[in-house]
Amino acid sequence: MWDTISDKLRKAEKIVFVTGAGISQESGIPTFRGKDGLWRKYDPMKLATIDAFYEDPKLVWEWYEERRQNILNASPNSGHVAITELEKFKQVSILTQNIDGLHQRAGSTNVYELHGSIITIKCTVCDFKNKITSRFLQLPPLCKCGNILRPDVVWFGEALPQDAWESAMVQASTCDTMIVVGTSLEVSPANLLPVYAKQNGAIIIEVNVEQTHMSSSMDLSLRESAAKALPGLVDTISGS
């Protein structure tokens, strides 16, 4: 089976990666649903919903500022770098649930952030949006219009950014290989992306240290971390 998949991977023209928190874990960024995940320590309803934000914006901002500093101190790992290297040989797109920007920092050029970015802020009222360049003097920070700024991330109960999601559906529906990395795909609508790829006849490979509810529908599942599995997988695809 592996020989057949290897042959198809080498012939692949368009490869789409769907990535989640697992790929960044080895860069020191905690996952959400793993055994040491953030949601085992914190209540997401108090930190990652619009209601929680309006109830206590300072608390929510303090939590996101701590996470942002951790992310800024992290570096891309060999999994991120391997995906970047693959761009030399294939057409590559990344549909990521991560908000850490590590794919871009590794050098990947075609990244769609489905859940937004922790490096970006936006106003709760006007259309202001910008990258965060320094620490805030006060929390919660205020927009020039006088209203509260918020992290530009997707919270529970919110829709994905329409442009990013529409692009993701197109990418998934037109690829011949999809590699699902470090995500259990328990969150909708991102869990539909492999379905779109399968409808196009794509090979779907899962890279995850744990079995997921999607594993049975994969053509191949690699029970390794992204940092360990992806360099070898990329060598297979590039024919190295």
Side-chain angles (χ1 to χ4, degrees):
M1 181 179 179
W2 172 243
D3 290 341
T4 301
I5 290 178
S6 296
D7 184 57
K8 290 183 177 180
L9 288 176
R10 293 188 185 97
K11 294 177 181 177
E13 296 182 359
K14 181 175 182 177
I15 299 172
V16 166
F17 287 84
V18 178
T19 66
I23 193 173
S24 296
Q25 187 173 21
E26 287 174 281
S27 292
I29 300 174
T31 63
F32 289 93
R33 292 178 172 80
K35 66 177 183 177
D36 297 317
L38 291 172
W39 297 150
R40 291 183 180 269
K41 301 176 183 178
Y42 304 99
D43 183 353
M45 295 300 106
K46 294 181 179 179
L47 294 169
T49 67
I50 191 64
D51 289 340
F53 180 72
Y54 282 123
E55 181 177 333
D56 195 341
K58 186 174 185 292
L59 173 66
V60 173
W61 259 112
E62 286 173 346
W63 190 67
Y64 274 92
E65 277 295 271
E66 181 181 345
R67 288 183 62 205
R68 183 166 68 92
Q69 291 305 313
N70 180 39
I71 284 170
L72 291 176
N73 290 330
S75 299
N77 60 55
S78 56
H80 297 103
V81 174
I83 296 175
T84 300
E85 287 294 308
L86 190 58
E87 288 190 18
K88 298 176 182 178
F89 308 98
K90 304 288 184 179
Q91 182 182 348
V92 176
S93 297
I94 302 168
L95 316 179
T96 187
Q97 296 170 290
N98 297 337
I99 60 174
D100 52 44
L102 288 181
H103 284 300
Q104 295 92 322
R105 286 163 58 188
S108 292
T109 58
N110 198 21
V111 183
Y112 300 88
E113 294 178 313
L114 302 181
H115 291 171
S117 170
I118 202 170
I119 313 299
T120 308
I121 49 175
K122 65 181 181 180
C123 184
T124 52
V125 177
C126 75
D127 60 0
F128 172 80
K129 181 185 288 190
N130 204 355
K131 290 189 178 297
I132 303 173
T133 56
S134 61
R135 286 183 177 271
F136 296 109
L137 297 178
Q138 66 173 26
L139 295 176
L142 299 179
C143 181
K144 292 181 179 179
C145 74
N147 291 288
I148 299 176
L149 293 168
R150 58 165 282 182
D152 186 24
V153 298
V154 176
W155 284 327
F156 287 100
E158 294 183 325
L160 303 190
Q162 186 174 1
D163 55 346
W165 176 242
E166 289 179 352
S167 297
M169 288 191 292
V170 171
Q171 296 298 321
S173 299
T174 56
C175 70
D176 48 32
T177 300
M178 175 173 282
I179 303 176
V180 180
V181 185
T183 174
S184 59
L185 287 178
E186 292 183 10
V187 178
S188 178
N191 55 11
L192 294 175
L193 293 171
V195 177
Y196 296 138
K198 206 68 173 177
Q199 289 174 345
N200 192 50
I203 294 173
I204 306 182
I205 298 173
E206 177 184 56
V207 177
N208 203 310
V209 293
E210 298 177 349
Q211 184 170 340
T212 72
H213 73 285
M214 299 286 288
S215 296
S216 61
S217 62
M218 301 291 171
D219 294 300
L220 179 69
S221 290
L222 302 178
R223 292 285 164 259
E224 291 183 312
S225 69
K228 292 181 180 178
L230 288 182
L233 190 59
V234 167
D235 285 345
T236 296
I237 296 172
S238 63
S240 300

